[in-house]
């Protein structure tokens, strides 16, 4: 979803069961973006999925920012690296994460 110059937004659960989801708001790197909405189902069998990217690469959704949003599943022995000068925000939903880096710092907005 791109809000463009602003939107009114609300959400509600139509189901009788509980719903848990993550809602992430990203400030765009451009002004006056055309409002749009996209929804997509991703292949749950993959352990690494690119969800958002600036150019909608690898069948991801487009985001107006110099960032990527990845989903990793069952990545017990996965090694991650980041481009120089980039920062990472990591959200652990289930399980645990072990980081072996003296350069790890808390997120400060």
């Amino acid at each position: 979803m791109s809000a463009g110059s602003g939107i009114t937004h609300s959400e509600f659960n139509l189901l009788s069961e509980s719903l848990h989801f993550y809602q992430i708001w990203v400030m765009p790197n451009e002004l006056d973006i055309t409002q749009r909405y996209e929804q997509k189902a991703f292949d749950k069998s993959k352990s690494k999925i690119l969800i958002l990217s600036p150019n909608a690469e690898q069948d991801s959704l487009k985001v107006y920012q110099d960032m990527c949003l990845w989903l990793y599943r069952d990545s017990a022995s996965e090694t991650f690296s980041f481009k120089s000068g980039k920062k990472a925000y990591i959200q652990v939903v289930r399980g645990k994460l072990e980081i072996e880096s003296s350069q790890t710092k808390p997120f400060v907005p």
Side-chain angles (χ1 to χ4, degrees), residues 51-67:
I51 305 292
L52 297 175
S53 68
N55 300 314
E57 53 199 87
Q58 298 181 32
D59 205 27
S60 65
L61 298 170
K62 179 176 177 57
V63 64
Y64 288 92
Q65 189 52 268
D66 182 19
M67 54 98 40

Side-chain angles (χ1 to χ4, degrees), residues 2 9 15 27-28 35 45 52 59 63 68 72 77 84 102 109:
S2 290
H9 176 72
L15 305 174
M27 294 296 291
Q35 295 178 9
S45 69
L52 297 175
D59 205 27
V63 64
C68 291
Y72 287 86
S77 60
S84 178
S102 60

Side-chain angles (χ1 to χ4, degrees), residues 6-43:
I7 60 168
T8 301
H9 176 72
S10 66
E11 295 183 23
F12 52 92
N13 182 9
L14 295 173
L15 305 174
S16 59
E17 59 198 51
S18 295
L19 175 67
H20 301 277
F21 65 93
Y22 285 91
Q23 187 172 60
I24 302 168
W25 292 78
V26 178
M27 294 296 291
N29 58 4
E30 297 178 26
L31 297 175
D32 300 319
I33 297 168
T34 302
Q35 295 178 9
R36 66 177 173 72
Y37 175 81
E38 281 183 89
Q39 184 170 314
K40 181 174 192 159
F42 291 93
D43 184 352

Side-chain angles (χ1 to χ4, degrees), residues 41-51 71-75 78:
F42 291 93
D43 184 352
K44 293 181 179 182
S45 69
K46 294 183 178 180
S47 62
K48 179 180 176 183
I49 303 168
L50 181 58
I51 305 292
L71 170 64
Y72 287 86
R73 283 194 183 96
D74 302 323
S75 303
E78 188 86 32

